[in-house]
Amino acid sequence: MERRLITTELRATTEDGKRKIGGYAAVFDTLSVVLWNFREEIAPGAFADAIEKNNVRALWNHDTSEVLGASGNGTLRLAEDSVGLRFELELPDTQRGRDAFTLIERGDVSQMSFGFRSLPDGDEWRIDEDGQYIRRLLRADLLEVSPVTSESEATGSGAGASLLRRRVFTATTLAVWTRQLAGLVAAGL
């Protein structure tokens, strides 16, 4: 599973006594920071199939033991719009849910991340005018969205090594990258 992070405006609201958070878990057509010697952008529609078919989880810091909601039961609502992957999450009345609400409301937590798997032919690669590899996600198998407390594991110059150490990149993803990069080299790009 791969993970990506954005710093976003997270909202914390209370409606009818229910604590909710909302915002964007991903933004379309915006280049990421450098990730393992490439940058990435997400095409509109990349998550459409997964939103419809998957029971996407909302987790705290990508921790599968800290479930905040799920799309399958309606506590997590996901939609794509012109900006990106929008979400609204009704937080559980648990200690983690209450803590998450408070931390987001105060602005201590202001980042979102999402976990996904690459799909065959779900991305395309190019090299920009500066010689930087750019990966464009066309279709992704969205698995989870997470409010996160730190960007250290998902961005920055050491991101690739950190992600590889944590085995975030799957063998399939690496095989696809290798095949696509070999094609770029063969084409003289």
Side-chain angles (χ1 to χ4, degrees):
M1 178 172 65
E2 298 181 54
R3 296 177 181 152
R4 298 295 181 268
L5 173 133
I6 65 165
T7 299
T8 184
E9 180 182 332
L10 286 176
R11 297 177 323 280
T13 60
T14 303
E15 295 176 23
D16 300 324
K18 296 179 182 179
R19 292 180 185 95
K20 296 181 179 182
I21 61 170
Y24 286 89
V27 177
F28 297 140
D29 295 322
T30 302
L31 286 174
S32 70
V33 297
V34 176
L35 304 161
W36 201 45
N37 294 325
F38 71 93
R39 295 179 76 190
E40 188 170 68
E41 63 187 3
I42 304 166
F47 303 112
D49 289 342
I51 290 170
E52 184 179 321
K53 296 175 184 174
N54 292 1
N55 183 17
V56 180
R57 308 288 183 189
L59 306 175
W60 180 256
N61 266 335
H62 299 293
D63 186 341
T64 57
S65 68
E66 298 278 3
V67 177
L68 298 173
S71 63
N73 66 9
T75 55
L76 172 63
R77 287 172 291 289
L78 298 164
E80 288 190 344
D81 63 19
S82 62
V83 174
L85 176 62
R86 185 173 37 86
F87 79 96
E88 183 178 84
L89 174 62
E90 182 182 318
L91 291 165
D93 188 21
T94 61
Q95 190 61 51
R96 170 54 64 213
R98 291 185 296 274
D99 289 350
F101 182 84
T102 299
L103 292 169
I104 291 166
E105 183 181 47
R106 290 178 3 160
D108 298 333
V109 174
S110 61
Q111 297 170 318
M112 283 296 296
S113 183
F114 63 95
F116 69 101
R117 280 192 300 251
S118 296
L119 296 172
D121 300 319
D123 56 11
E124 59 187 19
W125 291 81
R126 71 179 191 280
I127 299 175
D128 71 9
E129 60 278 354
D130 296 323
Q132 179 72 60
Y133 287 99
I134 306 294
R135 178 189 190 197
R136 183 167 175 85
L137 289 176
L138 304 172
R139 292 182 318 114
D141 189 22
L142 182 65
L143 304 172
E144 53 99 356
V145 297
S146 294
V148 292
T149 58
S150 172
E151 64 183 278
S152 63
E153 294 299 328
T155 62
S157 61
S162 175
L163 290 170
L164 286 172
R165 278 194 304 275
R166 295 181 64 211
R167 292 187 171 92
V168 173
F169 287 76
T170 64
T172 301
T173 300
L174 290 173
V176 168
W177 289 353
T178 302
R179 185 186 77 230
Q180 291 173 333
L181 289 174
L184 289 172
V185 170
L189 297 176

